[in-house]
Amino acid sequence: MSAPAAQVPVSTTRSGGSAPEPRTGRRKPKLSFRHRASAWDRRYSPYLYISPFFILFAVVGLFPLIYTAWVATHDWDLIMGQGEFIGGENFMAVLGERGFWISLRNTLSIFILSSAPQVVIAILIAYLLDYNLRARTFWRMGVLIPYVVTPVAVALIFSNLFGDRFGLVNSILETVGIDAIGWHSGTLPSHLAIATMVNFRWTGYNALIFLAAMQAVPRDLYEAAAIDGAGKVRQFISVTIPNLRPTIIFVIITSTIGGLQIFDEPRMFDQYGRGGTDGQWQTMTMYLYELGWTRSDFGQASAVAVLLFLLIVAIGLINFVITRRISSSEVKR
């Protein structure tokens, strides 16, 4: 049986023209409309599926952010509306007021008192819930109950618990021989009381996030650690915590964003909603509200909003860099 003869390409070169590609005898198959539509679907449909989120974000997130920055550079009154362009005068006026720095101090203080203990307690609760407890579904759902309670109800309950004269907390302190604390008159006591409200609402929510991450840790790691003689505490430190790094970073970032925007709890801490007689617990969002809706100065209120946004971005980046550096240093060990 003889081998088939090789096909010799036919040259069609003309004098003075470029050499065309040799013909191979194969023609590119012509795609039908159905095949072209299928190719377009595979190429562009993922962008179409995620586009609603970005469109919605552009409308309700990006546009208000840009518009707030625009208002901050104008003399903008609640009644008279837009005034003339004044550049950074609103920022300079806000930074020159004592109330802004007091609100900044209060915001950072409440944020630190609430976020750090919240993450630690949430991890410990999640570790306990990860055991084979009886009625574990009940316990796991129980930690979420404070989250579904409205912030107003939480604030009303805790403002009575931390009442200066007839509050339950002061009654217990007096029973054990400790003087009553002015939870509403003192700066640090008021911050502790408000941080307690925040921790009450958000600790269970974060505990469930950590619990979901713990259940994704391979059980083989615990068995190997137990064979090597590691106890429960050692397994928690050497196995559980390292596998929770991405989740810890996520919770820290979200806690930073939420903690610096705290408004409901401090506003409802007393019946006046002004953050105390001397601004003991007035946060930046409450100060923004006062500028915009009490003094009717939208320009300065928008300037505070822009400064708060920059503060959240700065602290979020610091948290991200620190946690990533700690994680990378532990991996190198």
Side-chain angles (χ1 to χ4, degrees):
M1 187 175 182
S2 60
Q7 293 182 353
V8 178
V10 178
S11 175
T12 58
T13 306
R14 295 180 180 178
S15 59
S18 60
E21 294 183 357
R23 293 182 179 178
T24 60
R26 296 179 180 177
R27 291 184 178 180
K28 188 176 181 181
K30 186 177 180 180
L31 297 177
S32 63
F33 176 77
R34 183 177 180 182
H35 286 86
R36 289 199 301 270
S38 178
W40 293 340
D41 178 56
R42 288 194 302 269
R43 179 175 297 178
Y44 299 112
S45 60
Y47 300 101
L48 183 63
Y49 296 149
I50 62 174
S51 61
F53 166 76
F54 289 98
I55 294 173
L56 190 63
F57 171 75
V59 173
V60 302
L62 188 60
F63 172 74
L65 187 65
I66 297 174
Y67 191 71
T68 301
W70 168 263
V71 175
T73 57
H74 289 75
D75 183 13
W76 205 297
D77 186 81
L78 176 63
I79 306 300
M80 303 302 294
Q82 180 180 355
E84 60 180 3
F85 178 79
I86 58 175
E89 289 187 13
N90 283 327
F91 293 93
M92 298 305 296
V94 166
L95 294 174
E97 289 199 12
R98 175 175 172 269
F100 171 78
W101 296 106
I102 291 177
S103 66
L104 176 61
R105 178 204 64 186
N106 297 339
T107 302
L108 294 176
S109 176
I110 296 173
F111 163 68
I112 293 172
L113 291 174
S114 60
S115 297
Q118 186 183 128
V119 173
V120 175
I121 297 173
I123 292 176
L124 295 177
I125 292 175
Y127 188 71
L128 295 176
L129 293 175
D130 197 29
Y131 277 96
N132 290 325
L133 301 173
R134 288 186 177 180
R136 58 183 178 182
T137 304
F138 170 78
W139 296 113
R140 291 175 181 179
M141 294 302 296
V143 298
L144 198 60
I145 290 177
Y147 176 71
V148 301
V149 180
T150 61
V152 175
V154 173
L156 290 175
I157 294 171
F158 276 82
S159 62
N160 286 301
L161 289 176
F162 287 98
D164 292 344
R165 299 184 60 185
F166 305 107
L168 178 62
V169 177
N170 274 343
S171 300
I172 295 174
L173 292 177
E174 291 174 351
T175 302
V176 298
I178 300 175
D179 294 335
I181 298 175
W183 298 106
H184 289 78
S185 57
T187 300
L188 183 59
S190 63
H191 294 180
L192 287 171
I194 295 171
T196 305
M197 296 185 211
V198 178
N199 291 332
F200 173 77
R201 284 199 69 229
W202 290 98
T203 300
Y205 175 82
N206 290 327
L208 289 185
I209 295 177
F210 286 127
L211 176 62
M214 285 181 186
Q215 291 181 338
V217 178
R219 298 297 166 181
D220 297 344
L221 297 178
Y222 292 104
E223 295 175 2
I227 293 174
D228 291 340
K232 294 297 182 182
V233 177
R234 187 63 182 174
Q235 292 179 22
F236 176 74
I237 297 174
S238 300
V239 178
T240 304
I241 295 298
N243 284 280
L244 291 181
R245 287 190 198 113
T247 308
I248 293 175
I249 294 174
F250 170 77
V251 171
I252 289 177
I253 297 297
T254 54
S255 299
T256 301
I257 296 173
L260 294 176
Q261 294 178 341
I262 184 172
F263 179 80
D264 297 332
E265 290 85 354
R267 181 166 176 79
M268 298 298 297
F269 190 51
D270 67 353
Q271 64 270 32
Y272 303 106
R274 296 180 179 176
T277 54
D278 194 30
Q280 299 96 311
W281 66 85
Q282 186 183 50
T283 60
M284 290 186 69
T285 51
M286 294 177 67
Y287 183 65
L288 183 156
Y289 183 88
E290 178 186 340
L291 290 175
W293 300 101
T294 303
R295 304 186 194 179
S296 301
D297 193 338
F298 273 18
Q300 292 190 10
S302 300
V304 174
V306 173
L307 293 173
L308 178 60
F309 170 75
L310 297 177
L311 177 66
I312 292 172
V313 172
I315 294 180
L317 290 176
I318 292 172
N319 283 336
F320 180 75
V321 171
I322 291 175
T323 50
R324 286 294 298 268
R325 183 162 297 181
I326 293 174
S327 301
S328 59
S329 62
E330 290 181 354
V331 170
K332 291 178 182 177
R333 291 178 183 177

